[in-house]
Amino acid sequence: MPKPTPSDSTRSAAEDREPLSGLVERVTYHNPENGYCVLRVKVRGHKDLVTLVGHAASISPGEYIQASGRWEQHREHGPQFRAAFLRAAPPTTLEGIEKYLGSGLIKGIGPVYGRKLARAFGEAVFDVIETQPQRLIEVPGIGPKRIAKITRAWAEQKIVREIMVFLQSHGVGTSRAVRIFKTYGADAIPLVTENPYRLARDIRGIGFRTADTIAERLGIPKDSMIRARAGVSYALLEAVSNGHCGLPEDELLTLAGELLDIPQPTLAEAVRLEIAEGSVVADTVKERRCIFLMHLWHAEREIADRLTALVDGDPSWGVIDAGKAIPWAEGKLGIALAASQKEAVAKALASKVLVVTGGPGVGKTTLVRSILTILTAKGVRVALCAPTGRAAKRLSETTGLEARTVHRLLETDPANGGFRRGAEAPLECDLLVVDETSMVDVPLMAALLRALPRTAAALLVGDVDQLPSVGAGQVLADVIGSGAVPVARLSEIFRQAAESRIVINAHRVNAGRMPDLEVPAEGGSDFYFVAADDPEDGARKVVEIVRERIPRRFGAQSGENEQAVRSKLNSAYGGNRTGRTAA
């Protein structure tokens, strides 16, 4: 088999996978948690050992592996074979048997006894261990205790191998098979056979479609109740991907019927059983019976409960005289607040929770700076965050205080999922400021409020007409719409922002009016309308704008760093938010 060229690494389709088999000479690396491994394999037709990267529940030198995948060129380690499928079997050659037994995989057998056993029983050694373990006493140094240890370890390895073969024969890829084995252990085969759809619930990275494929191979009928019940959660997850936390029951049944091709009566019974088991929740919203995934229903309830508690509380910094504090802040910052901004500052100083909302150019940033200037002077500990790194960086620049992404603030825990910060380990702050709150989804807001100390206050800042959350829910819009939380609405466009046609046109669109598409005669606009006849034409013009028009407009060179370009943009628009500038 000739070695493929590095260009073969560009192939990714399943039909382009190549077979590869050989003897494992060395296990360079193996992670027992997820099965990831790097192997050195002796392959017929290759002068040198082949580096293979893949997943295996357990692997040892001497084992014979069968794999399929594709070649790729690693920039540091050269050519290697990335296996999408990997199956290992006990070796059949004397050399392989000796390596395998001496690898330490089977407890009670090391290199010395591995060599002795291979020489004593040859290729029949595995049959002897499995069916005639008492014969092992024929090898000098092996007694009853070691025999018991060897037979027990061999049985464990046999179970692992049987599980992997079972899963792979039913269409489960190697890496997923390893995760299934790690989750269910020796019970994997009966559990998966009984209900393959539990995989979508129990194992991260396995969805309904994968479980459905396994179920089909196991002969489970398409209209079975077990499939219908799993399909209820699947349909709800499809709704979640479109931003919904739940669906009216009639809409859920319609969607599930389209996705699963199962009769409505069967699905209605499936919903009833899922509710009874607690997998989903039924609740009434605006006089309609709606069905929710359990975790999203709880998250929404938690947000409501914690915001209600905040509304009823008093801020930890006590009473601050806004009549004195606001003029002091204006002098400190060298600004003059509008009447609506002063009212909002006073409301923030007296409230334990406040929403600040408004379109672009209405002074939300100036308002937040004023509030923070007053409170930090009083010794209030502040934590600032935003959903994205870019938004957090902008918040830091405008306030002069450290701001982090929500996930970094809550300290993401990749090993266990979720966050390290929570009710048991709350944030160390007296005020939490969340910018661009419109992008925060329901689970993330629940996590934020859960980590907020009981004595701390919250300031939620955002524009409901800006980007919505990628995940489920519309937290900011719902909080404002509830009328249960104090809201400061800013609507006055300030002089500097009013010079931006992007800001003006954004407000025109929000008011239901067409944007002004004409280019001013004096030029120098930050808003241009570029017509495109079709998507391909649009893509070409976007490239032209980024590569030619923006650099030409702001005198930026292709080799300049982000800070240099940002400085030129700031100079062009007097410090206006460059993120809203268009070519």
Side-chain angles (χ1 to χ4, degrees), residues 208-505:
F208 175 84
R209 289 299 185 191
T210 299
D212 202 31
T213 300
I214 298 170
E216 184 176 8
R217 294 195 179 208
L218 288 170
I220 294 176
K222 289 284 187 182
D223 59 351
S224 65
M225 182 55 66
I226 193 174
R227 182 172 184 266
R229 292 184 62 175
V232 169
S233 293
Y234 171 57
L236 284 173
L237 283 172
E238 288 294 297
V240 168
S241 68
N242 290 320
H244 303 293
C245 290
L247 283 179
E249 187 169 16
D250 56 334
E251 293 183 20
L252 172 62
L253 293 175
T254 299
L255 176 61
E258 294 171 353
L259 292 171
L260 305 170
D261 194 24
I262 292 178
Q264 292 282 309
T266 303
L267 289 171
E269 176 64 12
V271 170
R272 187 189 69 79
L273 292 172
E274 287 294 284
I275 293 171
E277 190 178 85
S279 300
V280 299
V281 178
D283 203 349
T284 301
V285 180
K286 295 181 180 179
E287 300 182 353
R288 294 186 73 182
R289 178 179 161 93
C290 296
I291 310 299
F292 296 82
L293 289 171
M294 177 68 77
H295 74 283
L296 288 175
W297 183 81
H298 278 299
E300 286 202 319
R301 300 280 296 190
E302 185 172 13
I303 292 170
D305 291 344
R306 292 186 180 273
L307 287 177
T308 301
L310 285 170
V311 169
D312 294 336
D314 296 317
S316 63
W317 49 80
V319 178
I320 296 177
D321 187 343
K324 295 180 180 179
I326 292 173
W328 176 84
E330 288 178 313
K332 182 86 171 173
L333 297 172
I335 59 173
L337 296 174
S340 60
Q341 290 177 311
K342 291 179 180 179
E343 183 182 343
V345 171
K347 190 179 290 188
L349 297 179
S351 304
K352 200 172 179 182
V353 60
L354 177 69
V355 174
V356 175
T357 188
V362 297
K364 295 192 298 294
T365 299
T366 301
L367 173 61
V368 171
R369 285 179 64 203
S370 302
I371 294 169
L372 294 179
T373 298
I374 295 170
L375 292 180
T376 53
K378 294 287 186 180
V380 174
R381 298 174 302 165
V382 178
L384 284 72
C385 66
T388 66
R390 183 177 294 251
K393 184 177 181 181
R394 189 169 62 237
L395 184 59
S396 291
E397 292 171 349
T398 56
T399 62
L401 300 172
E402 181 190 11
R404 289 176 278 183
T405 63
V406 176
H407 289 80
R408 180 164 291 183
L409 180 71
L410 294 177
E411 300 177 17
T412 302
D413 185 358
N416 302 310
F419 304 101
R420 294 188 179 91
R421 293 290 185 174
E424 300 299 321
L427 298 168
E428 297 171 1
C429 67
D430 303 310
L431 172 67
L432 173 66
V433 179
V434 185
D435 198 14
E436 303 288 5
T437 310
S438 65
M439 291 192 286
V440 179
D441 62 22
V442 164
L444 196 55
M445 180 57 75
L448 263 175
L449 295 177
R450 190 181 308 129
L452 188 69
R454 294 291 180 180
T455 57
L459 181 63
L460 309 179
V461 185
D463 177 2
V464 290
D465 296 314
Q466 282 282 23
L467 289 172
S469 62
V470 175
Q474 48 179 16
V475 175
L476 183 63
D478 287 343
V479 170
I480 294 172
S482 71
V485 175
V487 177
R489 291 181 174 86
L490 304 180
S491 56
E492 179 184 351
I493 303 176
F494 292 94
R495 183 189 60 79
Q496 182 176 303
E499 296 173 1
S500 167
R501 295 181 68 238
I502 290 179
V503 172
I504 293 171
N505 281 323

Side-chain angles (χ1 to χ4, degrees), residues 55 64-67 85-89 164-166 168-169 174:
H55 290 80
Y64 186 81
I65 58 104
Q66 291 179 316
F85 170 86
L86 177 62
R87 178 181 293 174
M164 296 299 289
V165 169
F166 167 80
Q168 290 171 337
S169 66
T174 307

Side-chain angles (χ1 to χ4, degrees), residues 483-542:
V485 175
V487 177
R489 291 181 174 86
L490 304 180
S491 56
E492 179 184 351
I493 303 176
F494 292 94
R495 183 189 60 79
Q496 182 176 303
E499 296 173 1
S500 167
R501 295 181 68 238
I502 290 179
V503 172
I504 293 171
N505 281 323
H507 284 272
R508 289 174 68 97
V509 171
N510 285 342
R513 298 158 58 199
M514 279 293 293
D516 179 8
L517 305 181
E518 296 297 325
V519 178
E522 64 273 15
S525 175
D526 63 351
F527 181 94
Y528 293 89
F529 175 70
V530 180
D533 296 328
D534 52 56
E536 290 74 18
D537 184 33
R540 284 192 299 271
K541 288 178 177 176
V542 167

